[in-house]
Amino acid sequence: MIKTDILIIGAGPTGLFAVFEAGLLKLKCHLIDALPQQGGQCSELYPKKPIYDIPAYPEILAGDLTHKLMEQCKQFEPGFTLGERAETIEKQEDGSFIVTTNKGTKHQAPVVAIAGGLGSFEPRKPLIHNIAAFEDKGVEYMIKEPEFYRNKKVIIAGGGDSALDWSIFLSDIASSVTLIHRRNEFRGHLDSVEKVQELKNEGKINLITPAEVVGILGDKKLKGIVVKKAEHIEKEIELECDHFIPLFGLSPKLGPIANWGLEIEKNAIKVNNALDYQTNIPGIYAIGDVNTYPGKLKLILCGFHEATLMCQSAYQIINPGKRYVLKYTTVAGVDGFDGTRKESPKAVVKKIE
């Protein structure tokens, strides 16, 4: 059983910033995310997409924002359960909650904060009739551990940042990498497109466009795929591979959270925005894009604000009757759980004679 003060469901920007705000209040956090890494959509869907509305950053790449948020909150030593989806929640007699993931990992906390962005993500699967039979037998929809593909023949399908970035990354790990896309144009960042072209010219990536994967080959394990090129409508080619990774993006859904008894409106969780973004169940909050209230704006900076007020409210639940006096970090400094301390330089007092 993993125990913590605030259990955060969702390790995107809002969830990560909540760790920092909770840490200022001496509250520990543990985060659950169905994705294999922190950062939510910023890491999975568009790590190299520039964001222009983060305060103090005229422009910052989504992946870099995740990195900086991790740097900011690491002093408060958050725990992570990644690659697992929050499945069920049970309220205990002492008022705490036990959240169990789809892999059976149990977490207990007096406060649960749902920061799941647009919800849990499920991969968009290609319409290949027998693909389900080869899932986890050579067909993967996410790359969790790149070393898993060392010295393997890998075929990636897709035209976005994830397909481009992983093709580039695995070109130094896999024995061969083939990237297939149904168009000649890619939707990814220009730097990534140019890098793929460069690796193609060097013979490190086999690029097949415009083309589409239409079949899976194998018996109990994947042995290859069937590809149909656009200019040869009647002709199909077979390619051997150890792994086929279709990266067509992720479909956001509330998933099992929709069955937790929370008040839902248009696939979002209704909260009390007049106070603390608490849901209709005391002790459960919803912050960031996953919530809704009058005037709601689905912006990262709004999620940061909501996370801050949520932590103040959570403090009162965890420490009933204890008054917290807000102290600015510029005055009080920041004491990390790892023993570090950050503080502003003190003014030098000198007597004038």
Side-chain angles (χ1 to χ4, degrees):
M1 181 83 73
I2 297 171
K3 295 186 178 182
T4 190
D5 294 321
I6 302 178
L7 181 62
I8 301 173
I9 300 173
T14 296
L16 293 176
F17 187 68
V19 173
F20 176 78
E21 287 296 319
L24 295 178
L25 301 172
K26 308 300 181 188
L27 302 177
K28 289 278 289 183
C29 294
H30 190 95
L31 299 89
I32 302 174
D33 203 297
L35 295 175
Q37 74 283 318
Q38 301 93 342
Q41 296 179 68
C42 287
S43 293
E44 185 65 20
L45 298 184
Y46 44 84
K48 292 188 176 181
K49 181 179 179 180
I51 301 175
Y52 302 105
D53 60 355
I54 301 299
Y57 288 102
E59 176 182 338
I60 185 170
L61 297 181
D64 291 344
L65 175 63
T66 295
H67 175 73
K68 291 184 180 296
L69 286 166
M70 284 294 297
E71 283 292 309
Q72 184 181 34
C73 75
K74 72 177 183 180
Q75 61 195 313
F76 296 120
E77 301 179 326
F80 292 93
T81 299
L82 300 175
E84 300 184 30
R85 183 182 64 244
E87 198 79 15
T88 63
I89 188 167
E90 301 172 273
K91 190 163 187 176
Q92 307 302 295
E93 290 185 3
D94 63 358
S96 67
F97 300 91
I98 291 180
V99 174
T100 306
T101 71
N102 60 316
K103 294 187 178 179
T105 308
K106 293 184 179 295
H107 310 73
Q108 186 172 17
V111 170
V112 173
I114 302 171
L118 297 174
S120 63
F121 292 96
E122 296 180 7
R124 292 190 176 99
K125 302 179 182 182
L127 299 175
I128 302 173
H129 79 279
N130 62 339
I131 194 169
F134 292 91
E135 291 174 357
D136 298 324
K137 297 176 183 177
V139 173
E140 294 91 33
Y141 301 107
M142 295 182 189
I143 297 176
K144 298 181 180 180
E145 178 48 64
E147 279 296 319
F148 180 66
Y149 302 96
R150 182 165 292 279
N151 301 323
K152 302 292 186 181
K153 296 178 181 178
V154 176
I155 295 179
I156 294 175
D161 281 316
S162 291
L164 291 164
D165 291 345
W166 281 119
S167 295
I168 295 168
F169 192 91
L170 293 179
S171 66
D172 288 328
I173 295 176
S175 62
S176 69
V177 173
T178 299
L179 176 59
I180 299 172
H181 182 41
R182 59 195 178 99
R183 296 189 181 94
N184 288 321
E185 301 79 22
F186 288 86
R187 302 185 310 275
H189 196 273
L190 181 60
D191 286 347
S192 297
V193 176
E194 291 178 346
K195 182 63 175 178
V196 166
Q197 183 64 52
E198 179 184 324
L199 291 171
K200 176 198 173 186
N201 295 340
E202 295 174 1
K204 293 184 177 181
I205 290 180
N206 180 26
L207 187 61
I208 304 177
T209 64
E212 192 172 355
V213 179
V214 295
I216 304 290
L217 301 174
D219 184 11
K220 295 181 179 179
K221 195 174 189 319
L222 177 74
K223 292 184 179 179
I225 62 166
V226 180
V227 179
K228 182 177 287 187
K229 296 197 70 175
E231 63 264 33
H232 301 292
I233 301 299
E234 301 300 325
K235 186 178 178 181
E236 295 181 348
I237 59 175
E238 296 182 359
L239 299 175
E240 289 185 6
C241 65
D242 300 304
H243 297 278
F244 172 48
I245 310 170
L247 297 174
F248 296 151
L250 302 170
S251 177
K253 296 181 180 178
L254 275 180
I257 292 175
N259 302 318
W260 286 6
L262 301 168
E263 192 173 353
I264 307 295
E265 182 179 284
K266 295 181 180 179
N267 207 39
I269 302 170
K270 290 186 69 174
V271 295
N272 175 7
N273 68 308
L275 184 61
D276 52 14
Y277 306 99
Q278 201 160 182
T279 68
N280 58 304
I281 300 178
I284 300 180
Y285 299 78
I287 53 177
D289 287 355
V290 76
N291 75 15
T292 186
Y293 52 82
K296 168 70 179 182
L297 293 177
K298 293 183 182 294
L299 298 173
I300 292 176
L301 62 91
C302 293
F304 291 165
H305 164 77
E306 294 164 10
T308 304
L309 296 189
M310 178 278 294
C311 288
Q312 295 288 326
S313 178
Y315 181 87
Q316 298 301 322
I317 291 178
I318 297 169
N319 301 285
K322 188 175 181 180
R323 184 168 175 260
Y324 174 76
V325 179
L326 177 66
K327 297 179 181 178
Y328 299 111
T329 56
T330 51
V331 176
V334 178
D335 292 304
F337 297 157
D338 57 1
T340 60
R341 173 162 178 80
K342 297 177 181 178
E343 60 181 332
S344 302
K346 302 298 182 184
V348 177
V349 179
K350 187 176 180 180
K351 185 178 180 181
I352 299 177
E353 297 180 355

